[in-house]
Amino acid sequence: MKDWWQATFPKGRQSLVITDAKGYPVQIAYGEKGKGKPLILLHGMGSWSYNWRHSIAPLSKYFRVICFDAKGFGFSEKPLSRREHNGHQVIEFQRIIQELCDEPAVIVAESLGGLVALALAQEHPQLVGQLVVVNVPVFAEQLPHWAMWLLAQTPLEVIQTIDSLRLAYLFAPLFREIMAIERRRVLFEPSILTQEDVYWITYPFIELPGTVAKVAEELQIAAQEIENWQANKPNMLTKIQNNLSSIKCPTLVLWGDQDSWFPASHGEKLHKYIPNSKFQILSNCCHDASTGAFEVLNAAIIEFLRDSDLSK
């Protein structure tokens, strides 16, 4: 099967080395297409740049579109010898933008990526020109899926052992089938997920050692965050919620009307807290908007940015 990076980006998969939140050099995989103002696409939990496959070409007509895999995800480095701490994604996202962009970027971020983007807009407003967030777990009260909960509850040492034994690789057909079933459950029209999609969605888990362990680690951080929030202990979720009014850049909040993970009422609430924001419901859209509702998603993004005179 043709390499997705090569087929999608003029220069294929590129590599960037940044210093991570703990001061170590780490390799980040990215691709870019188009010219003009930088527009960065940020994926969600357990995903990678492939999730934006339907948005890269349409948006690159107006912008320099940059897709990257967050540390531990997709084709980026997966440092297994050290544990992550909460908030590392924001620090690393900041450094990626600073390396790749010489002006404030448009950020389009989905699910957990949206949470990272909100935090970045609060902490480093000079880096963000405009913000589009989609189905964000900013008011999440629990992990939304049983597999997430299972990975979050399993000792990381056990997950790392399973990962090192390459069980996902050994049982690749079964793993792909299970992942396909679960991914179709967050799509309004499940049949749009092709066998090629399933191949690439699961590729890092099957072919790149360390992916399962790093995703599990991120889920454990997320579970601890929610637990701390429920217990009124210091946590990043509360900090982000309490500082939403500090986000001054033009912001578009998009939400699937059929999102069973995080209800559209969360989107309305988020919109009310961000002063310079717009809110739009995506019709016939479940949680995976970038796959399941890409046409209306892309149109909403382009219209929003055009209105602000950024795409001209």
Side-chain angles (χ1 to χ4, degrees):
M1 194 173 291
K2 191 173 181 181
D3 179 83
W4 177 77
W5 293 95
Q6 291 295 332
T8 304
F9 302 103
K11 294 183 180 179
R13 173 162 53 95
Q14 296 175 262
S15 183
L16 169 73
V17 176
I18 62 163
T19 302
D20 74 5
K22 290 197 170 180
Y24 294 91
V26 64
Q27 195 170 59
I28 300 296
Y30 77 99
E32 60 176 88
K33 184 173 185 175
K35 295 179 180 179
K37 187 174 182 66
L39 183 152
I40 300 178
L41 296 169
L42 182 55
H43 62 79
M45 176 68 76
S47 298
W48 58 286
S49 294
Y50 185 79
N51 238 58
W52 292 108
R53 61 198 176 278
H54 299 302
S55 296
I56 295 162
L59 295 178
S60 70
K61 294 175 183 176
Y62 309 97
F63 299 95
R64 174 193 169 209
V65 173
I66 302 167
C67 251
F68 75 94
D69 295 347
K71 183 182 75 176
F73 294 87
F75 286 72
S76 287
E77 192 175 337
K78 300 157 182 59
L80 299 175
S81 60
R82 54 187 184 269
R83 294 289 179 92
E84 305 297 347
H85 63 72
N86 195 26
H88 77 91
Q89 303 102 323
V90 182
I91 295 168
E92 288 147 12
F93 188 23
Q94 169 208 343
R95 291 172 182 170
I96 289 166
I97 294 176
Q98 289 172 330
E99 284 291 327
L100 294 177
C101 305
D102 56 7
E103 62 178 303
V106 176
I107 296 175
V108 179
E110 185 172 37
S111 196
L112 180 68
L115 195 63
V116 174
L118 290 173
L120 182 88
Q122 293 171 348
E123 296 177 24
H124 303 281
Q126 76 281 2
L127 298 179
V128 187
Q130 282 188 289
L131 179 61
V132 180
V133 291
V134 189
N135 298 339
V136 194
V138 64
F139 302 113
E141 298 178 4
Q142 61 185 13
L143 293 176
H145 192 272
W146 64 267
M148 292 181 176
W149 183 88
L150 184 64
L151 284 172
Q153 298 301 315
T154 305
L156 200 55
E157 293 76 15
V158 174
I159 301 292
Q160 287 175 334
T161 300
I162 291 170
D163 202 341
S164 66
L165 292 172
R166 304 292 306 279
L167 293 185
Y169 178 81
L170 292 173
F171 297 98
L174 177 61
F175 185 85
R176 285 197 183 99
E177 185 60 31
I178 293 170
M179 284 282 281
I181 291 168
E182 296 306 321
R183 288 303 286 259
R184 288 188 174 109
R185 283 179 177 165
V186 290
L187 294 171
F188 183 79
E189 181 48 70
S191 63
I192 69 169
L193 197 74
T194 67
Q195 285 305 114
E196 183 179 1
D197 289 337
V198 174
Y199 174 84
W200 284 116
I201 287 167
T202 58
Y203 186 94
F205 293 94
I206 291 170
E207 301 290 345
L208 305 177
T211 303
V212 176
K214 293 309 285 186
V215 170
E217 187 175 7
E218 295 295 344
L219 284 167
Q220 292 184 11
I221 291 172
Q224 187 62 56
E225 268 292 289
I226 293 170
E227 192 176 305
N228 289 344
W229 171 76
Q230 290 171 335
N232 288 318
K233 294 179 181 179
N235 66 90
M236 188 174 163
L237 265 179
T238 297
K239 184 181 176 185
I240 293 172
Q241 290 169 3
N242 290 343
N243 288 289
L244 289 171
S245 62
S246 71
I247 297 175
K248 304 303 182 187
C249 64
T251 301
L252 175 63
V253 178
L254 297 173
W255 222 278
D257 63 344
Q258 304 294 321
D259 189 345
S260 59
W261 284 15
F262 312 113
S265 58
H266 286 190
E268 291 184 62
K269 188 177 177 181
L270 178 61
H271 158 57
K272 288 175 182 175
Y273 281 121
I274 300 177
N276 191 14
S277 68
K278 295 181 178 180
F279 176 59
Q280 184 175 333
I281 289 285
L282 301 175
S283 300
N284 298 334
C285 174
C286 297
H287 184 69
D288 190 350
S290 57
T291 296
F294 61 88
E295 289 182 343
V296 65
L297 175 72
N298 294 339
I301 293 167
I302 291 168
E303 182 182 3
F304 171 67
L305 298 175
R306 224 177 229 159
D307 286 348
S308 301
D309 205 32
L310 280 185
S311 60
K312 295 179 182 178

